[in-house]
Amino acid sequence: MSILLCLLSIKAYSLYKPFREDADDYLQEVTQWQLFMVLFAAQLIRVKATGSHPDQQRLLGRLLCLLLG
């Protein structure tokens, strides 16, 4: 449900552009996509998409660090 709400808010913010500066609108959209990716990665972890493969688990961990950094 949170992923769906995140996608809806991305669309709403990009449609209405609530900030005065275009740079602020762009920053908001980037942060919304970042939130979406974190929620999606959390879903992957929850359904154990990597299984018990340590290499895939490390790759997913590095991807999360890259997204948040």
Side-chain angles (χ1 to χ4, degrees), residues 19-66:
F19 301 106
R20 287 186 181 166
E21 300 292 325
D22 288 337
D24 293 337
D25 287 327
Y26 177 74
L27 179 64
Q28 178 280 136
E29 186 171 352
V30 168
T31 56
Q32 286 288 327
W33 280 110
Q34 185 180 26
L35 176 62
F36 169 78
M37 294 303 290
V38 168
L39 292 171
F40 185 71
Q43 187 67 23
L44 287 176
I45 291 170
R46 184 178 174 134
V47 298
K48 298 181 180 164
T50 60
S52 61
H53 301 289
D55 292 335
Q56 290 180 354
Q57 290 175 355
R58 266 193 301 277
L59 179 63
L60 184 58
R62 288 179 183 156
L63 179 64
L64 278 172
C65 288
L66 180 68

